[in-house]
Amino acid sequence: MDDLTALARRHLNQAKDDPHGRSAHLFVHSGPLRQSVIALLAGTTLQEHNAPPASSLQVLHGHVRLTSAAGEQQDLIAGQVQELPPERHSLLAVEDSAVLLTAVTATTGCPTPSE
């Protein structure tokens, strides 16, 4: 079992030693399911990138700003979780932050909630 608080703390410390101000760790990799802790120092951006077919972002520590390719912005703080639409987006750490990214990398063969 992984301790999210400890993972967030560890990766925030590692981000402080990283020249790019970030650290990440994939800790669940089961079929199409992926869960990663990503730590970003204040002002650090994950440049615009593609989103998987299904994903969510939960802020474990800090404050982040999610920006869609269309320029729509949403601020999230510790304790909040947001479903990510399957479109390009970027992420900015407004303050030192750690997030939990949960992603499903393929939807083929996945049951729908009604099945």
Side-chain angles (χ1 to χ4, degrees), residues 33-73:
L33 177 64
R34 310 283 186 274
Q35 285 192 302
S36 301
V37 167
I38 303 168
L40 305 166
L41 298 184
T44 302
T45 300
L46 292 179
Q47 296 298 323
E48 190 175 293
H49 55 278
N50 291 325
S55 61
S56 67
L57 190 71
Q58 178 181 355
V59 182
L60 301 173
H61 175 86
H63 175 183
V64 298
R65 181 168 298 131
L66 183 65
T67 303
S68 72
E72 296 174 9
Q73 295 184 338

Side-chain angles (χ1 to χ4, degrees), residues 3 9 11 15 20-21 23 28 51 55 62 64 67 69-70 72 98 108 115:
D3 180 331
R9 188 177 318 114
H11 286 281
H20 302 288
S23 178
V28 172
S55 61
V64 298
T67 303
E72 296 174 9
T108 303
E115 293 181 329

Side-chain angles (χ1 to χ4, degrees), residues 5-21:
T5 302
L7 281 172
R9 188 177 318 114
R10 179 176 343 130
H11 286 281
L12 278 167
N13 287 333
Q14 288 180 3
K16 291 175 184 173
D17 294 331
D18 182 80
H20 302 288

